[in-house]
């Protein structure tokens, strides 16, 4: 591969137990995908959490780590188990253990992008799929585990903020009583991946910036929160989904004119999140 599988930004001084990660904002599309697939570049990018890495780019200024994928979700989905292989796409894969994500074409090697549009003309080999997993999925998760373990060793706890964006249409059926539709959805797998006091602080940080926030509906968290969230051991994993229409045109992927102002609001929330637990950790900056 000509591109590293991730981009890691460390702060000059680690003062936060929080790790921000963006597994779906990668945009290094391999030539073979562009040349031999069925979709044009814009269609391929429809599943991408475009610009999420840019939205959270300043978190190292607050003493936190930022880990971003470089390869796109359409190439390898880092928010899936490495064994979620799609028999409709990958040669030699059996149908045992088929789950709804795989059945819909959204396994670790996706068969479709947003709207169910097929990426490939036919199947790919098992060896080609495994190569992607070994070259992209494995090193990303190896590093993510490493920085979370660093947080835990230094601060006594680790908080993972798994950063995503969601299409506006995904919120069309969400109701919040008399309130408007949510702009940010926080997923903690219904309390299984993080302690409630940590989730409350994350939620409050976004509410303080004027965002409408809901929990777990329609997104409660997938592989990353399930795998890394171990609240009984002080490993907390929280998924944050942001409505894409707040900062870009979803059809063209062009940024809105007010992108900078929107990013400032997210940055302010991220600063507050990066400070979670600092008052209880007097040795954190040593």
């Amino acid at each position: 591969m000509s591109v590293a599988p991730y981009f890691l930004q460390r702060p000059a001084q680690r003062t936060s137990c929080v790790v921000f990660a963006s597994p779906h904002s990668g945009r290094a599309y391999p030539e073979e995908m562009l040349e031999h697939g069925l979709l044009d570049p814009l269609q391929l990018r429809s599943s991408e959490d475009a610009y999420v890495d840019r939205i959270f780019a300043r978190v190292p200024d607050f003493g936190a780590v930022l880990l971003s994928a470089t390869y796109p979700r359409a190439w390898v989905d880092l928010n899936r188990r490495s064994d979620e292989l799609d028999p409709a796409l990958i040669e030699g894969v059996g149908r045992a253990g088929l789950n709804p994500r795989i059945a819909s074409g959204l396994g670790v090697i996706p068969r479709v992008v947003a709207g169910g549009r097929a990426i490939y003309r036919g199947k790919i080999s098992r060896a080609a799929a495994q190569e992607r997993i070994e070259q992209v999925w494995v090193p990303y998760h190896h590093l993510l585990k490493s920085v979370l373990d660093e947080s835990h060793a230094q601060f006594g706890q680790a908080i993972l903020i798994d950063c995503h964006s969601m299409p506006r249409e995904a919120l069309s059926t969400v109701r919040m009583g008399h309130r408007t539709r949510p702009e940010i959805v926080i997923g903690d797998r219904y309390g299984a991946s993080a302690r409630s006091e940590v989730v409350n602080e994350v939620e409050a940080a976004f509410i303080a910036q004027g965002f409408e926030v809901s929990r777990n509906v329609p997104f409660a968290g997938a592989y990353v929160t399930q795998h890394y969230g171990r609240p009984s051991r002080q490993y907390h994993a929280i998924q944050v989904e942001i409505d894409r229409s707040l900062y870009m045109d979803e059809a063209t992927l062009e940024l809105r004119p007010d992108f900078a102002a929107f990013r400032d609001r997210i940055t302010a929330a991220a600063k507050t999140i990066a400070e979670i637990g600092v008052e209880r950790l007097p040795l954190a900056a040593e």
Side-chain angles (χ1 to χ4, degrees):
M1 294 190 308
S2 58
V3 179
Y6 52 75
F7 180 49
L8 180 68
Q9 295 171 266
R10 290 185 178 274
Q13 185 176 28
R14 186 83 181 273
T15 59
S16 173
C17 67
V18 182
V19 174
F20 293 82
S22 176
H24 287 165
S25 59
R27 47 192 172 272
Y29 288 83
E31 284 299 320
E32 64 183 275
M33 193 174 206
L34 298 173
E35 293 176 359
H36 304 299
L38 293 170
L39 305 176
D40 63 41
L42 186 59
Q43 291 172 322
L44 275 176
R45 294 190 67 189
S46 63
S47 288
E48 181 185 311
D49 288 353
Y51 310 113
V52 167
D53 53 342
R54 288 179 57 181
I55 291 171
F56 287 92
R58 284 195 57 200
V59 298
D61 295 344
F62 314 134
V65 169
L66 175 62
L67 174 63
S68 305
T70 51
Y71 284 90
R73 177 187 190 181
W75 183 250
V76 177
D77 192 335
L78 299 169
N79 201 20
R80 297 288 183 265
R81 294 196 324 265
S82 61
D83 63 351
E84 290 189 90
L85 300 174
D86 186 350
L89 174 65
I90 302 167
E91 295 173 349
V93 173
R95 299 188 64 84
L98 199 63
N99 63 42
R101 292 185 299 273
I102 298 173
S104 63
L106 297 173
V108 65
I109 309 294
R111 172 167 41 91
V112 300
V113 295
R117 291 170 293 187
I119 299 172
Y120 306 96
R121 290 186 173 85
K123 290 191 173 186
I124 65 174
S125 70
R126 180 72 175 265
Q130 195 61 40
E131 183 178 38
R132 295 188 200 182
I133 292 166
E134 291 174 358
Q135 293 184 345
V136 179
W137 192 99
V138 170
Y140 178 90
H141 282 282
H142 178 80
L143 183 58
L144 179 55
K145 181 180 184 303
S146 176
V147 293
L148 288 171
D149 288 345
E150 286 176 13
S151 287
H152 195 273
Q154 184 174 355
F155 303 107
Q157 67 176 338
I159 299 173
L160 170 62
I161 305 298
D162 196 44
C163 307
H164 297 261
S165 68
M166 55 188 172
R168 179 67 173 170
E169 66 179 6
L171 304 168
S172 61
T173 61
V174 179
R175 295 290 180 266
M176 299 176 62
H178 297 295
R179 297 160 61 191
T180 59
R181 289 186 295 187
E183 298 169 317
I184 292 177
V185 177
I186 293 174
D188 65 353
R189 298 189 64 82
Y190 297 94
S193 68
R195 288 194 172 177
S196 60
E197 56 266 31
V198 176
V199 184
N200 290 343
E201 291 192 64
V202 172
E203 181 179 50
F206 288 110
I207 291 174
Q209 296 305 316
F211 292 106
E212 291 285 351
V213 182
S214 70
R215 292 195 193 181
N216 293 311
V217 179
F219 303 107
Y223 170 77
V224 167
T225 48
Q226 181 180 30
H227 182 73
Y228 293 102
R230 295 291 183 270
S232 64
R233 297 175 49 208
Q234 296 297 330
Y235 283 85
H236 308 281
I238 299 167
Q239 180 174 279
V240 172
E241 293 271 5
I242 302 171
D243 178 356
R244 293 173 190 164
S245 69
L246 297 177
Y247 65 87
M248 75 176 189
D249 183 312
E250 295 184 78
T252 65
L253 273 62
E254 294 181 0
L255 292 172
R256 286 175 40 155
D258 59 353
F259 173 75
F262 168 81
R263 183 173 56 185
D264 286 346
R265 293 170 65 199
I266 295 292
T267 298
K271 183 178 186 295
T272 300
I273 292 167
E275 295 168 354
I276 294 175
V278 169
E279 71 279 2
R280 298 191 294 273
L281 299 168
L283 300 179
E286 296 183 359

